[in-house]
Amino acid sequence: MTVERLNRQRVRHLHDAFARGDIEAAVACCTEDVDFLTHAPIDVLPHMGPRHGKAELRDLWQTVWSRYSEVRYKAAHIVAEGDEVATYLQAYFRKRSNERVVQFDMAVFYTFRDGLISEIREIIDSYDLVQQVLEREIGPLIVGVPADGG
C-alpha cells in the first residue's frame, strides 16, 4: 500500500471517529504536538481559535460536541501526496439547542509525521457558517443597515 493511500485512510478514520463522537479515537490519530488552525471568525466562534497539542485539540472537539448532537461529513475530494492530504468536505452539524442543521463546505489540509497527524489547517466558508450559527442574515450588519431593513 502506498503512503498516499494509507494517509487517505487515516484521514477517513479521523473523520469517522469524530463524526461518531469518539473524541479519544480522533485525538489518537494526532501527534502530541499537533498544531490546529482554522480560518474562521473567532469573534463569533471563539472555540475555533488556534490550538496546539492534543489537550487543546481535545478541548476544542469537546466544545463542538457540546453544541452539536450529530456530525456528518461528505468527502467530495481527498487528495494525498506523500505526508500531506487535502480534503474538500461538505459538513453537516445538528445543533443541540434546536435541532437545526448547520451545513457548510470546508477544505482541510493534513500533514503527517510518523503516521500521525501533526498539522491540521481548515478553510471554512465562514460567512455562510456564521449566518447559520447565528440564524440571521449578516449582510445588513456588514454594510450598516439595521436588521429590520429601516
Side-chain angles (χ1 to χ4, degrees):
M1 178 178 297
T2 66
V3 69
E4 286 85 3
R5 185 172 179 163
L6 186 57
N7 285 340
R8 281 193 302 270
Q9 285 183 343
R10 289 171 172 151
V11 166
R12 284 189 191 103
H13 175 72
L14 170 70
H15 293 165
D16 291 345
F18 185 75
R20 69 176 181 268
D22 190 347
I23 294 171
E24 290 309 313
V27 169
C29 296
C30 301
T31 61
E32 287 298 324
D33 64 341
V34 62
D35 193 50
F36 172 89
L37 177 66
T38 189
H39 298 277
I42 59 173
D43 293 352
V44 178
L45 304 166
H47 64 284
M48 297 299 289
R51 303 295 176 138
H52 187 75
K54 281 185 172 184
E56 290 184 12
L57 188 58
R58 180 184 293 110
D59 183 54
L60 163 68
W61 286 344
Q62 287 171 337
T63 299
V64 170
W65 269 100
S66 74
R67 296 176 183 178
Y68 299 94
S69 61
E70 179 186 2
V71 172
R72 291 183 296 120
Y73 295 107
K74 181 178 175 185
H77 301 284
I78 301 178
V79 179
E81 185 174 308
D83 282 334
E84 296 183 351
V85 177
T87 61
Y88 175 71
L89 305 171
Q90 295 166 323
Y92 308 86
F93 286 38
R94 183 175 304 277
K95 293 171 103 179
R96 287 189 186 277
S97 62
N98 61 10
E99 297 299 311
R100 291 182 76 157
V101 174
V102 176
Q103 176 181 334
F104 56 98
D105 293 345
M106 60 193 299
V108 187
F109 304 92
Y110 302 91
T111 301
F112 284 84
R113 185 175 69 237
D114 300 326
L116 296 172
I117 297 168
S118 60
E119 186 175 272
I120 304 171
R121 295 289 182 267
E122 295 180 346
I123 300 173
I124 299 172
D125 179 357
S126 57
Y127 182 88
D128 185 45
L129 176 61
V130 167
Q131 290 188 123
Q132 292 181 68
V133 168
L134 296 178
E135 297 179 16
R136 63 187 286 192
E137 171 66 43
I138 62 172
L141 298 172
I142 293 170
V143 296
V145 176
D148 62 8

